[in-house]
Amino acid sequence: MRTIIGNSGGLDSTYALWKLLSTTDDEVTVVLLNTDGLTDQVMQKFDVRSFNGRHSNAVRFQRVQAIVGWLSANVRPCTLVNVDVDETLLLPGIDYPNSPQPALVEWAVAKINANLADKIVMTAERENDGYSNGGTITTRAPGATAARCRFVEKASRGEISFMLLDSGYHQGVALRELPQALIGLTHSCDVQGSEPCGVCFKCSKRKFFAEAIAQGKTDEELRAKVASKSELPNGRWRSMKYWISEEVPTCRYEAMDKTWDTPSWPTSYKVP
């Protein structure tokens, strides 16, 4: 099986890559998306969100290169590709957010249809997809849903897997299972610099799960705790962003109601 998987240098996508290499014999291509070449006009036209954060492609590529190098040396080899994102990989219209996941699918489907690959593994997880990709803050679908719709629409063969969504993953799973040396190569911060700031959402999120593990919480207990705070009795959903972080909100959408309809996340799909 020839499999494509994205990696941002973060904990979630690195866990998915480690799991893929550890549990399959797939020929794995790791993709880092580069949007440094997109102009402000194009990003505004397509409402591009959640690609680069505050880090340049050069910084992220160095990070992902170190992760792929460690995995190739300690688990088994895989190949890293840096893909430039241009208008051909962006979705027109406003129904879906232009986030990394549908753009990665757009690129991967061309490879799959040409019989150069067989499968794409998405690394979305509930919290990251629900908040960071911006889909449910407005009336649009989360990035993972957009990715699945794009695959179903365009793929003539192959499959798309939502490994982390299918397994009920949360970051505590990665912190518990991954080798410490590999965790140390991942980033946990939205702020530029070599050291984590310790207070942004991503830093606070990792700290929350690390402290819970240190207290002896099981994966089931952690899952239940997050659900109790995020999945509200009135059917609304509240991102961890709003109950875990000391970060000062900067996004224009954050002035709105801090809850929204509970997102529905996609499942894996194989072309019949």
Side-chain angles (χ1 to χ4, degrees), residues 177-218:
E177 294 185 18
L178 284 179
Q180 286 300 313
L182 184 55
I183 292 175
L185 296 175
T186 65
H187 76 90
S188 65
C189 189
D190 271 336
V191 180
Q192 288 183 349
S194 58
E195 297 296 326
C197 71
V199 296
C200 72
F201 169 52
K202 290 184 178 180
C203 286
S204 299
K205 181 180 177 182
R206 186 177 295 200
K207 181 180 178 182
F208 168 83
F209 284 108
E211 289 180 347
I213 290 173
Q215 294 166 5
K217 300 291 186 183
T218 66

Side-chain angles (χ1 to χ4, degrees), residues 89-105:
L89 298 183
L90 300 178
L91 307 181
I94 61 172
D95 291 336
Y96 297 121
N98 274 302
S99 59
Q101 297 176 77
L104 177 59
V105 166

Side-chain angles (χ1 to χ4, degrees), residues 102-124:
L104 177 59
V105 166
E106 190 75 15
W107 181 85
V109 162
K111 304 296 182 184
I112 291 172
N113 286 348
N115 200 25
L116 299 174
D118 305 300
K119 180 179 181 179
I120 178 169
V121 173
M122 309 305 297
T123 61

Side-chain angles (χ1 to χ4, degrees), residues 22 40 42 152 207 232 242 247:
S22 300
D40 291 341
V42 169
V152 171
K207 181 180 178 182
L232 305 181
Y242 301 118
E247 184 182 58

